[in-house]
Amino acid sequence: MENLVQVTGSNLTYVYVVLGISLVALAIAYALRAQVLAANEGTEKMQEIAAAVQEGAAAYLNRQFKTLSYFVGIVFFLLFALPGEFEIRVGRSIFFLLGAVFSAAVGYNGMWLAVRANVRVAEAARQKSAANAVKIAFRTGGVVGMTTVGLGLLGASLVVAIYKENAPAVLEGFGFGAAMLAMFMRVGGGIFTKAADVGADLVGKVEQGIPEDDPRNPATIADNVGDNVGDCAGMAADLFESYAVTLVAALILGKAGFGDAGLIFPLIVPAIGIVTAIIGIFITRLRPTDKSAMQAINRSFFLSAIISAVLVAFATYTYLPSSLMQMSGLTPEAAAVDVNPRILAIGAVLIGIFLAAAIQLLTGFFTEVGKRPVNDVAASSKTGAATVILAGISVGFESAVYSALLIAAAVFGAFLLGGGSIVLSLFAVALAGTGLLTTVGVIVAMDTFGPISDNAQGIAEMSGDVKGEGAQILTSLDAVGNTTKAITKGIAIATAVLAATALFGAFTDAIKEAVHKAVGDAEVALQYQGILDVADPRNLVGLIIGAAVVFMFSGLAVNAVSRAAGAVVHEVREQFRLHPGIMKGTEKPEYGRVVDICTRDSLRELVTPGLLAVMAPIAVGFGLGVGALGAYLAGAIGTGTLMAVFLSNSGGAWDNAKKMVEDGHHGGKGTEAHAATIVGDTVGDPFKDTAGPAINPLIKVMNLVGLLITPAIVSFALPTQKSTSLFIALAATLVIIGALIRNRRQSTTIDY
């Protein structure tokens, strides 16, 4: 198929301008970083605790990256084995490596600054300045946000500048690198943080009756470390890969839908997002009239969303013509449709922006303190832990339906803009994803706000240097942080669905191209037109397997937390038993032992979910064909959306219900109602911070694997190659079975 698309002249200039804007974002990140580090670090005791958290977080991430480097190295060479021109294969492997490195850099940078900002936020609260505490926490998040958008846009624009019209094929590698590393960081960080959190809560709060961040609890340092490696580093990497993968999907489909302009316009939209992110970060200030920091954060988010919409509309009408006929490099399918490209583009981007705002409101309703769902969960604590669990599960189920319908409406709305052309419709879905991510700088800042405020409260409580009004400021910020984390998880889920849907479209396009190249016979190629027909038993089986993998992945993640938390509980109990001076305050707990347990167990548990995500699509694709692989991806997208929202919002509701009781509702701390909400929060921890968030990169990893292997599946489907195809499927299946058996055996052989 002849390549009609060209990136030359003014279009190439636009690419270089976008590249320059990405560098501006990184410069802004550096400037904000300097502002944060200039703030006061607090008392000597506070600095000592912060240093322990810093040491633990850095040690964990260094060990994690060392472990993941083996996976990255293997995939780097495996990508060379895929069909394609030599230049493209080399570029794909190199940019896979760059995507992985950028994802790691975003995560590590987020962690590094967060563990230094936490003590500064605590000090601001000690000085009774809520406004300054909010400013430091949010601007720290701003550094992570600007790094995310800067590196994401830098990578994408570099690929387009170097490879021009061949950029989409190379971008597959960049997106895959970002998504794979983010998935591992999400799973590993999630296991670490929740193992420590669950262990600390069950032994400290429930058994010993001491506060959450009491310095006598051996798991407190590990808990604070976990907040950063999971909620901060993991989420930053997750949102980075959402950003990268959405751009990948938009550029792949843009080339097919808008020709030359399709490789430029998807870069212009996120470039505008950088401008709005800068505005959103700097206007976030706590006013004396604000009831909580949530009001200030909501205000900046919605203002930045409005500014994004206006600027994107202006850019669209400036850059795009009013008719497809005025555009160059179009495919015959796109050229045959009478659609105004300006209306399509601005409509799709606005859908994405509105979706982000709607998810924010919906998630806030189901997880925010003071709203009816959380009030109901808190009230259920009066009748015990069982009713708390039931109430939280019902909140998760209900919210999942509304969120899924909202995301589905956005996808269908974008689809309608395509005027009947599948290519243009799917490109509109991808543009909706880029529209949603115009606010990603502020979204990342909101998310990072959560672990920083949580850590600040922990440092304050452990040091004993922050009392009265200062302690109340931190309690309020921690509750707000729980809500912001839940909101950003909801938005991350929405981006996952939009990106996956767009990638699914790219996948079907890849099938057509692969068939054309491999077969070259129009009559034979016609056989592939009904390849995604669900009436085909192979496709139905693929659909079921796709849905099942999401359940298996979630089960592995939750079980991993359960096992690791069991080891932490045992260790903390043993320290209290063997060292009675800990409770009396005459002996210092061995914090490092719990950090080591969490590090060991989380890294051990990474392997099985990672292999499942990569090998399952290979097994289905080569074993049952591309149609079954397509159905597999559809099943994973549908089930993954519902599961991720359910897990995230249930956990968020349980967490803030506990906060409500701790604030004095329904009896307050130390009561049976409090113990019941602690159990609910403990169940919710792996839901909202391990399994739920990890589903986002899981969906995109599987879609990208499907996209990458499609040409090979089609070529091996020829009669002469069928035995090779079955061999690959069998090998992938055996790898999955071996990993699951190993994982199951581990559950009964934990060495305490």
Side-chain angles (χ1 to χ4, degrees):
M1 193 179 286
E2 188 180 351
N3 197 344
L4 303 173
V5 177
Q6 293 182 327
V7 179
T8 56
S10 61
N11 277 339
L12 196 56
T13 304
Y14 279 117
V15 175
Y16 289 129
V17 170
V18 169
L19 200 153
I21 291 172
S22 71
L23 295 175
V24 170
L26 296 175
I28 294 287
Y30 186 79
L32 286 171
R33 176 181 177 271
Q35 282 187 16
V36 171
L37 294 176
N40 196 328
E41 293 183 72
T43 66
E44 189 176 334
K45 182 69 175 174
M46 290 163 66
Q47 291 179 44
E48 184 187 328
I49 296 164
V53 176
Q54 292 164 21
E55 185 182 348
Y60 169 74
L61 282 184
N62 288 334
R63 285 176 64 177
Q64 185 185 53
F65 291 148
K66 187 178 177 181
T67 304
L68 295 181
S69 64
Y70 299 113
F71 283 93
V72 172
I74 292 167
V75 176
F76 175 81
F77 289 107
L78 285 176
L79 287 173
F80 280 106
L82 295 174
E85 297 175 11
F86 180 75
E87 183 186 350
I88 301 297
R89 285 187 288 145
V90 170
R92 190 162 50 202
S93 290
I94 290 172
F95 275 92
F96 161 80
L97 201 61
L98 193 67
V101 169
F102 278 7
S103 192
V106 167
Y108 193 91
N109 180 61
M111 177 281 301
W112 189 91
L113 192 60
V115 295
R116 284 157 179 80
N118 50 19
V119 70
R120 290 166 167 83
V121 171
E123 171 60 15
R126 192 174 77 89
Q127 299 297 332
K128 300 180 176 56
S129 177
N132 204 27
V134 170
K135 180 181 174 183
I136 295 169
F138 203 80
R139 291 204 173 178
T140 303
V143 174
V144 189
M146 298 312 296
T147 307
T148 299
V149 295
L151 289 179
L153 202 54
L154 177 64
S157 54
L158 268 177
V159 175
V160 176
I162 297 169
Y163 289 91
K164 298 180 175 63
E165 57 271 9
N166 293 318
V170 177
L171 277 165
E172 291 169 9
F174 180 70
F176 184 44
M180 191 179 83
L181 210 80
M183 183 185 69
F184 280 123
M185 289 180 71
R186 253 310 188 190
V187 174
I191 295 168
F192 186 114
T193 183
K194 294 305 114 179
D197 198 357
V198 170
D201 282 357
L202 288 180
V203 184
K205 283 186 173 182
V206 179
E207 295 181 7
Q208 299 293 334
I210 58 179
E212 182 168 353
D213 292 300
D214 194 298
R216 293 172 293 178
N217 193 329
T220 50
I221 293 294
D223 188 9
N224 283 295
V225 168
D227 288 336
N228 293 286
V229 299
D231 291 338
C232 187
M235 188 63 173
D238 184 2
L239 285 167
F240 171 78
E241 67 85 17
S242 291
Y243 195 79
V245 172
T246 302
L247 279 176
V248 169
L251 288 164
I252 291 173
L253 292 163
K255 177 183 173 182
F258 271 18
D260 297 2
L263 284 176
I264 310 301
F265 187 73
L267 295 176
I268 293 173
V269 175
I272 289 169
I274 287 177
V275 177
T276 57
I278 295 169
I279 296 170
I281 291 162
F282 280 101
I283 64 172
T284 304
R285 296 180 184 276
L286 190 65
R287 297 174 182 173
T289 54
D290 290 336
K291 293 180 181 177
S292 73
M294 200 67 229
Q295 276 189 272
I297 293 169
N298 278 335
R299 184 169 55 245
S300 66
F301 177 84
F302 289 115
L303 278 173
S304 61
I306 292 167
I307 294 167
S308 278
V310 173
L311 291 179
V312 168
F314 176 77
T316 302
Y317 276 85
T318 303
Y319 178 72
L320 294 177
S322 59
S323 170
L324 284 172
M325 302 303 295
Q326 296 173 270
M327 303 174 75
S328 55
L330 292 180
T331 59
E333 182 187 349
V337 181
D338 184 21
V339 171
N340 186 326
R342 289 173 175 173
I343 301 296
L344 184 149
I346 189 61
V349 171
L350 285 175
I351 284 173
I353 293 171
F354 286 140
L355 178 61
I359 292 264
Q360 166 130 345
L361 293 170
L362 185 66
T363 307
F365 173 75
F366 280 103
T367 61
E368 198 173 325
V369 170
K371 297 292 194 302
R372 183 166 180 177
V374 172
N375 289 348
D376 289 347
V377 176
S380 70
S381 64
K382 293 183 287 186
T383 50
T387 49
V388 170
I389 300 295
L390 292 172
I393 286 174
S394 71
V395 167
F397 279 139
E398 186 181 353
S399 64
V401 173
Y402 297 134
S403 293
L405 289 174
L406 190 62
I407 295 167
V411 169
F412 193 66
F415 181 82
L416 292 175
L417 292 170
S421 166
I422 297 294
V423 169
L424 288 174
S425 294
L426 288 168
F427 180 44
V429 172
L431 282 180
T434 63
L436 190 152
L437 289 172
T438 56
T439 55
V440 78
V442 179
I443 292 166
V444 176
M446 286 169 60
D447 183 77
T448 308
F449 183 93
I452 291 171
S453 55
D454 193 350
N455 264 206
Q457 187 179 33
I459 290 169
E461 195 165 312
M462 288 181 73
S463 68
D465 292 340
V466 185
K467 297 180 176 67
E469 187 183 339
Q472 188 54 49
I473 288 171
L474 291 174
T475 300
S476 174
L477 291 186
D478 190 22
V480 170
N482 283 333
T483 302
T484 61
K485 286 191 292 183
I487 289 168
T488 53
K489 287 177 184 123
I491 291 173
I493 293 160
T495 65
V497 177
L498 292 175
T501 306
L503 283 171
F504 189 72
F507 164 78
T508 56
D509 192 55
I511 292 175
K512 293 177 186 174
E513 286 202 26
V515 169
H516 183 86
K517 287 179 181 177
V519 180
D521 186 337
E523 289 186 15
V524 178
L526 283 171
Q527 298 173 17
Y528 282 83
Q529 284 191 348
I531 201 74
L532 296 178
D533 186 356
V534 78
D536 187 329
R538 290 175 300 179
N539 295 352
L540 189 59
V541 168
L543 184 80
I544 293 168
I545 295 172
V549 164
V550 172
F551 274 77
M552 176 63 77
F553 185 88
S554 302
L556 288 168
V558 173
N559 197 31
V561 173
S562 175
R563 294 204 297 263
V568 172
V569 167
H570 181 86
E571 173 62 31
V572 175
R573 282 175 178 169
E574 284 295 286
Q575 288 201 31
F576 281 134
R577 186 179 66 83
L578 297 173
H579 303 280
I582 291 175
M583 283 299 292
K584 296 175 184 176
T586 58
E587 282 188 84
K588 191 175 178 181
E590 294 183 63
Y591 300 117
R593 286 182 61 88
V594 182
V595 173
D596 286 343
I597 289 170
C598 293
T599 301
R600 179 200 68 192
D601 286 7
S602 61
L603 293 178
R604 183 190 65 193
E605 300 285 357
L606 279 175
V607 178
T608 305
L611 287 174
L612 180 68
V614 175
M615 291 296 166
I618 294 173
V620 171
F622 284 101
L624 300 174
V626 283
L629 176 59
Y632 167 94
L633 296 174
I637 293 169
T639 309
T641 304
L642 290 164
M643 180 69 86
V645 178
F646 160 67
L647 293 171
S648 179
N649 288 356
S650 285
W654 278 319
D655 198 343
N656 273 342
K658 181 196 68 175
K659 294 286 182 194
M660 282 190 69
V661 174
E662 289 177 346
D663 286 342
H665 297 84
H666 312 297
K669 290 183 179 180
T671 61
E672 289 187 6
H674 185 216
T677 58
I678 291 171
V679 173
D681 182 41
T682 302
V683 173
D685 277 339
F687 276 34
K688 68 179 173 62
D689 290 323
T690 308
I695 291 172
N696 309 331
L698 168 74
I699 292 172
K700 284 169 283 190
V701 164
M702 294 194 299
N703 271 271
L704 283 162
V705 170
L707 190 61
L708 287 163
I709 64 175
T710 292
I713 295 171
V714 172
S715 62
F716 287 156
L718 300 173
T720 55
Q721 301 278 351
K722 280 188 177 179
S723 58
T724 307
S725 186
L726 289 172
F727 174 78
I728 294 170
L730 183 62
T733 304
L734 290 173
V735 168
I736 294 170
I737 293 170
L740 290 173
I741 292 171
R742 172 184 172 273
N743 183 271
R744 185 53 57 190
R745 285 177 176 171
Q746 282 179 344
S747 65
T748 56
T749 57
I750 293 179
D751 181 17
Y752 294 123

